[in-house]
Amino acid sequence: MNSIEAVVIANGQFPTRAEVVDIIRTAATVVCCDGAADDFIARGGVPDVIIGDMDSLSDANKARYSDIIVHNPDQNTNDQTKAIEHLLSKGIKRIAIVGATGKREDHTIGNIALLAEYMALGAEVVSYTDYGVFIPCRGQQTFNSAAGCQVSIFNINASGLRSEGLDYPIYDFTALWQGTLNCSSSGKFTIYAQGDYIVYIAVKK
C-alpha cells in the first residue's frame, strides 16, 4: 500500500508488535472506535477522532474529548465501518486498521470480512495485527514476502484463482478454510484471479 494517510484503531486487542505500534505513532490521523479510545489514551495517545455509538467509551473521556467525538448510533454496521466511512467522506483513502482482532472471535471474523467491502467503497485498506497483515485484493496482485512465510487466501467472489511462488496450488475456494496454511516459496508470490479475495501474510519469525 502507498503511504498511509490514517490509522483506525478498533476495539480488539491493542497491538504490541513494534512495526504496528510505529504505524500508529507516525500516522497523520488517528481514528479510535469508541471504547478503543480508552486504551489508546491510557497508553499516552491522543486521538484525532473518536467514532461510534458511544456504548463503551468511558464517561470521563466522553467529557474530555467531546469536541472530537463523532456519534453514530447506527446499529446496522459496526464502529470499524463507521470509521472507514468517515475517513472516506473526508477524502482519505489510504487507511491502516489495527486492533481489529483478538478479544471476541465473532468480531474478528466480521472485521476481516469487511475489508473487501471497504475496498469496494474505494478504500486502500490493510489490517495489521501482531502476527501478520490482512490485505483485500482484486484481480492479479504480487506480494513481497520472505521465503517460508506463511500465507492464507480467503476467497470472496473470485474465480480463476491460481498462483506463482506458493508451495501449494490454489483454486476457486468455496469454503473459508480451503485457502489457509500455504507458504511462500521465494521472495515474492503472485495471485491471479478475477474478482475479490483477502490475502493474509504472517510475520516471519
Side-chain angles (χ1 to χ4, degrees), residues 9-15 32-45 56-58 61 99 103:
I9 304 178
N11 200 16
Q13 194 70 40
F14 199 90
C32 288
C33 297
D34 205 342
D38 287 332
D39 197 357
F40 182 54
I41 293 164
R43 295 169 185 270
S56 54
L57 182 66
S58 69
N61 282 328
K103 296 185 179 177

Side-chain angles (χ1 to χ4, degrees), residues 45-60:
V46 179
D48 296 291
V49 178
I50 302 172
I51 192 166
D53 56 12
M54 298 301 120
D55 65 343
S56 54
L57 182 66
S58 69
D59 289 339

Side-chain angles (χ1 to χ4, degrees), residues 22-91:
D22 195 53
I23 288 170
I24 301 170
R25 183 184 62 81
T26 58
T29 301
V30 176
V31 179
C32 288
C33 297
D34 205 342
D38 287 332
D39 197 357
F40 182 54
I41 293 164
R43 295 169 185 270
V46 179
D48 296 291
V49 178
I50 302 172
I51 192 166
D53 56 12
M54 298 301 120
D55 65 343
S56 54
L57 182 66
S58 69
D59 289 339
N61 282 328
K62 284 179 185 176
R64 181 182 177 188
Y65 293 96
S66 60
D67 59 327
I68 62 166
I69 287 175
V70 177
H71 182 215
N72 185 337
D74 184 4
Q75 296 299 307
N76 293 315
T77 189
N78 68 0
D79 289 343
Q80 177 182 272
T81 301
K82 294 169 187 175
I84 297 295
E85 290 177 342
H86 173 79
L87 288 169
L88 288 172
S89 75
K90 303 297 183 182

Side-chain angles (χ1 to χ4, degrees), residues 78-164:
N78 68 0
D79 289 343
Q80 177 182 272
T81 301
K82 294 169 187 175
I84 297 295
E85 290 177 342
H86 173 79
L87 288 169
L88 288 172
S89 75
K90 303 297 183 182
I92 297 173
K93 295 183 178 181
R94 297 191 299 275
I95 304 165
I97 298 174
V98 304
T101 63
K103 296 185 179 177
R104 281 185 54 175
E105 289 84 357
D106 54 343
H107 286 182
T108 292
I109 293 170
N111 287 340
I112 294 167
L114 281 163
L115 295 176
E117 295 194 16
Y118 305 153
M119 179 177 63
L121 292 174
E124 299 174 30
V125 61
V126 175
S127 185
Y128 293 89
T129 78
D130 279 345
Y131 307 100
V133 57
F134 290 93
I135 309 167
C137 305
R138 176 174 295 140
Q140 178 180 335
Q141 299 285 339
T142 297
F143 306 87
N144 294 319
S145 65
C149 186
Q150 300 296 309
V151 175
S152 291
I153 299 106
F154 301 93
N155 192 12
I156 304 300
N157 56 31
S159 61
L161 277 163
R162 62 185 181 87
S163 64
E164 292 179 2

